[in-house]
């Protein structure tokens, strides 16, 4: 089964023709090359600026807006909306298919537009205006509440009435592969002793995914929950630790459509502005690995799934805008830590080690929290019929605090 | 006293030659004109793109970087740092002075570069990557704590150890004069009854000022508190309500230098990373007026001063970056509501009406909180010897929630 491309795609690849995730790349040794939009296909990237300049985005919408692929980020393209996204997907699936000669039989165009993935550097796919981080996993909310406030009423009273979130910082969002310095700050050890200063002692990862916002809305004009999916372009992997790390490839909702599943049952029933006609979730298997410094192998520390989330992406959009808040193309929504119901599916070390009381085995050692030199690797994929729609990896290594 | 310009500047003007605040404007009826940096002088704006294109920024730093005034925002200029800011100030003070013929005697250049202030539209001066809102007034912290948690220990224990802040949203920051729709959302009336949905019933203003960040810092590399002033370009007025409104003119720290005063005494003494060799504040008188819909006159509702803040701007920069967080040119730091010690100097209606229990007289009516149609006008200035260094106004009107 599976669609067939003239480019070789391994059976285990995250990036078959069914996926075509979007990113922004720069040739590793390309002096003077500016960043440009691309899609992943097997072990290659297809440079969309070359495809656009060659006039191959010839559908009714993109032939007029094909300069969206001549930008240094994807903001303009994601702002165009779903009809343009569908047109682009259809154009690219045809262009890359085994039966289509246009690119397949044009050696010079292939040479210019197709680059081996290991010859490019991936950059943040959008300029992120604002980053909101939700708290949408009930299991995570329950575990954190139990650890910090005890097992009686661990989940805040309002949690079941609305998707809680906080506003995160955009400047410190970095692309997968970027080192993360251990933060320093104040802490208070016991009782009434004064605060002391030093490196963070309980540095954690948080397994999340992030939605990339497509078209925005005007200030003062909320998005209806039943139209909210038109404002979501796709998903990436995310590690919400000291800085926030994103995976480079945005997997579109179109590519995820075969993996739709029912959303969590919501009781109490939400207020009308959050009550959707159809409530969707996505079946995306997620894993986190830790690789200590100097080790060849990593240990898997959790297996979770995006479908464990209680609040849906569309409810997040509706709630975020109900007060009149405006979204802009390229904004991101973090899901919050994605914990499943079983202890092996918890999404952060705080839960996995129960605040350090149950150390975790990592290779031939143990971990309560992250140590300097640890590399954290998040991966995620959906299993289709003889193909995967995958997200690649989201990685980062902890380096010591700067002195 | 006062410096003399060939442009007439009223004695009460906020914008004499001593000020020269920076903004971004667009001619009101200028089709095809893009936004461009400018400074205010009396009732005029000086278009810096014209001055730059005419080669008049001829100092050693700006002759190389004068395309910073050919941008649609001030980010590039504020990113250049204090030596370039001083050079620009010196060039412009000379160019606009009564004794200098270059612009004074060149009718065609005057025509092109000087526009009456009422013939331009002011825009947000920088593209704001991130907006952090502090909570730096001890009087405000004490009043809010007393109202919500009672008079015993009204101020959180950690408040005296570090400048507390939250991360605000950049997309909904608007320029002075923009209407603000009353937000809608969930509220919980009494006891255990379920939440209900509707327009906000206690809509407030918050009198704040915002610092505009100049050069940024690298992720993972904190800014030393004694070098932090090099990262602050200037200040604007700010109203932190449903959206956040900024005044258009950034008054530079150079223009504010004559109004420096001692900072608040800090007890307990802060940790070394917050302990500065010299701790400065600024004596800036602030007022808030409310003008109900259909009224010609407004009522003054509070008189406060920037100098009432406990934590300094430089401490805010040092604390914000100590965990490795990176700042970028054009970011803003809200001060938090600026309340003084006396009830007439409180910075928001929550405090002024003590959560609605003591309604305030506004013209021939009263206010507990803001009503639809109310215009809120913030103004601020420093009194020099026969001149003012002022901020103009920061205004906005409440309009009903959209249905």
């Amino acid at each position: 089964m599976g669609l067939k491309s003239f480019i070789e795609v391994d059976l285990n690849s995250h990036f078959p023709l069914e996926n075509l995730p979007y990113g922004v790349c720069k040739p590793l040794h390309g002096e003077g090359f500016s960043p440009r939009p691309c899609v992943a296909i097997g072990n290659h990237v297809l440079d969309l600026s070359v495809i656009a300049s060659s006039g191959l985005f010839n559908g009714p919408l993109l032939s007029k807006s094909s300069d969206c692929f001549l930008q240094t980020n994807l903001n303009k393209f994601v702002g165009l909306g779903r009809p343009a996204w569908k047109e682009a997907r259809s154009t690219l699936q045809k262009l890359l298919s085994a039966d289509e000669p246009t690119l397949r039989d044009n050696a010079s165009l292939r040479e210019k537009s197709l680059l081996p993935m290991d010859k490019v550097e991936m950059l943040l796919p959008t300029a992120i205006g604002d980053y909101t981080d939700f708290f949408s996993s009930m299991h995570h909310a329950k575990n954190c509440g139990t650890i910090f406030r005890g097992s009686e009423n661990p989940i805040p009273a309002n949690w079941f009435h609305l998707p809680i979130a906080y506003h995160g910082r955009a400047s410190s969002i970095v692309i997968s592969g970027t080192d993360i310095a251990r933060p320093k700050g104040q802490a208070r050890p016991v009782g009434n002793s004064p605060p002391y200063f030093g490196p963070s002692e309980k540095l954690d990862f948080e397994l999340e995914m992030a939605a990339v916002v497509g078209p925005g809305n005007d200030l003062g004009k909320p998005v209806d929950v039943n139209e909210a999916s038109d404002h979501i372009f796709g998903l990436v992997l995310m590690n919400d630790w000291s800085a926030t790390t994103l995976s480079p490839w945005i997997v579109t909702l179109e590519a995820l459509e075969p993996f739709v599943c029912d959303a969590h049952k919501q009781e109490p029933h939400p207020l009308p502005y959050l009550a959707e006609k159809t409530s969707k979730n996505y079946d995306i298997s997620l894993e986190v690995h830790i690789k200590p410094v100097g080790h060849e192998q990593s240990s898997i520390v959790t297996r979770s799934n995006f479908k464990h989330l209680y609040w849906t992406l569309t409810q997040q959009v509706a709630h975020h805008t109900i007060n009149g808040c405006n979204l802009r193309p390229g904004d991101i929504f973090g899901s919050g830590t994605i914990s499943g119901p079983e202890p092996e599916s918890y999404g952060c070390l705080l839960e996995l080690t129960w605040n350090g009381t149950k150390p975790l085995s990592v290779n031939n050692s143990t971990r309560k929290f992250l140590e300097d030199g640890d590399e954290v690797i998040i991966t995620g994929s959906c299993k289709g019929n003889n193909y995967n729609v995958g997200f690649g990896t989201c990685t980062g290594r902890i380096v010591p605090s700067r002195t």
Side-chain angles (χ1 to χ4, degrees), chain A:
Chain A
M1 299 285 287
L3 303 176
K4 183 116 186 77
S5 172
F6 64 84
I7 296 172
E8 198 186 304
V9 178
D10 188 88
L11 203 66
N12 296 317
S13 172
H14 278 198
F15 308 125
L17 204 45
E18 287 86 349
N19 192 350
L20 295 185
Y22 289 83
V24 168
C25 71
K26 210 173 136 175
L28 264 184
H29 304 293
E31 301 300 313
F33 272 83
S34 56
R36 69 267 324 273
C38 57
V39 290
I41 176 77
N43 291 324
H44 285 76
V45 305
L46 179 69
D47 180 337
L48 300 183
S49 72
V50 174
I51 301 303
S53 300
S54 307
L56 295 173
F57 284 107
N58 51 10
L61 298 170
L62 288 170
S63 57
K64 278 178 257 155
S65 307
S66 62
D67 71 336
C68 67
F69 297 120
L70 304 179
Q71 315 291 320
T72 58
N73 56 49
L74 285 162
N75 293 53
K76 185 162 184 192
F77 175 58
V78 305
L80 293 178
R82 179 141 289 117
W85 307 337
K86 288 195 176 199
E87 187 178 299
R89 180 172 173 81
S90 154
T91 297
L92 293 170
Q93 280 192 329
K94 181 163 179 232
L95 192 65
L96 289 165
S97 76
D99 304 336
E100 172 62 34
T102 312
L103 181 58
R104 183 193 67 197
D105 298 347
N106 185 334
S108 133
L109 186 60
R110 280 205 321 273
E111 172 89 10
K112 277 198 292 183
S113 64
L114 281 163
L115 293 160
M117 210 173 260
D118 59 5
K119 293 285 185 290
V120 298
E121 176 189 1
M122 297 304 297
L123 306 170
L124 283 177
T126 64
I128 300 165
D130 282 290
Y131 149 43
T132 304
D133 199 16
F134 285 85
F135 185 53
S136 291
S137 155
M138 183 175 66
H139 309 293
H140 177 62
K142 185 177 174 190
N143 290 333
C144 294
T146 305
I147 289 168
F148 291 121
R149 294 190 311 274
S151 56
E152 208 169 313
N153 297 319
I155 300 183
N158 61 348
W159 193 92
F160 290 97
H161 293 290
L162 50 83
I164 291 177
Y166 74 95
H167 194 73
R169 185 156 181 99
S171 74
S172 53
I173 299 175
V174 297
I175 192 68
S176 177
T178 308
D179 284 346
I180 303 295
R182 181 177 297 268
K184 291 182 293 188
Q186 297 193 25
R188 192 174 183 178
V190 278
N192 282 321
S193 42
Y196 64 94
F197 179 80
S200 176
E201 292 171 359
K202 292 183 173 183
L203 186 55
D204 205 348
F205 66 80
E206 288 187 323
L207 166 61
E208 301 200 17
M209 294 193 77
V212 178
V213 171
N217 62 300
D218 292 339
L219 188 65
K221 196 173 174 197
V223 175
D224 185 283
V225 70
N226 294 307
E227 290 161 15
S229 69
D230 288 344
H231 295 265
I232 303 168
F233 178 65
L235 292 174
V236 294
L237 303 170
M238 172 169 140
N239 185 351
D240 184 33
W241 43 4
S242 173
T244 295
T245 306
L246 297 184
S247 63
W249 296 108
I250 311 176
V251 177
T252 64
L253 293 199
E254 280 69 41
L256 293 171
E257 193 59 30
F259 310 101
V260 162
C261 58
D262 287 344
H264 206 286
K265 192 174 174 319
Q266 295 182 336
E267 185 53 47
H269 198 65
L271 282 168
Y273 80 93
L274 290 173
E276 2 188 28
K277 285 175 192 151
T278 323
S279 206
K280 280 184 187 180
N281 216 329
Y282 296 92
D283 183 355
I284 306 168
S285 300
L286 300 165
E287 288 180 3
V288 181
H289 301 245
I290 293 179
K291 190 159 93 171
V293 65
H295 288 224
E296 289 287 311
Q297 299 297 317
S298 62
S299 282
I300 185 163
V301 293
T302 192
R303 284 187 179 85
S304 187
N305 195 302
F306 189 75
K307 73 180 177 190
H308 292 314
L309 296 175
Y310 183 91
W311 294 102
T312 65
L313 292 174
T314 37
Q315 289 177 318
Q316 291 172 355
V317 170
H319 183 69
H320 204 308
T321 60
I322 190 64
N323 62 358
C325 181
N326 56 325
L327 307 177
R328 294 181 292 190
D331 285 353
I332 67 166
F333 282 16
S335 59
T337 305
I338 305 170
S339 294
E342 309 86 12
E344 310 82 53
S345 63
Y346 294 168
C348 60
L349 290 174
L350 173 75
E351 293 169 80
L352 288 164
T353 72
W354 213 252
N355 199 14
T357 60
K358 299 176 187 171
L360 208 65
S361 170
V362 170
N363 291 2
N364 50 0
S365 176
T366 61
R367 286 291 177 281
K368 293 179 177 177
F369 288 95
L370 293 174
E371 296 187 6
D372 288 350
D374 281 352
E375 185 177 7
V376 175
I377 302 149
I378 299 178
T379 182
S381 69
C382 307
K383 294 268 167 234
N385 199 352
N386 274 335
Y387 70 95
N388 305 301
V389 166
F391 289 80
T393 58
C394 177
T395 72
R397 184 183 296 278
I398 300 299
V399 297
S401 305
R402 289 215 202 182
T403 47

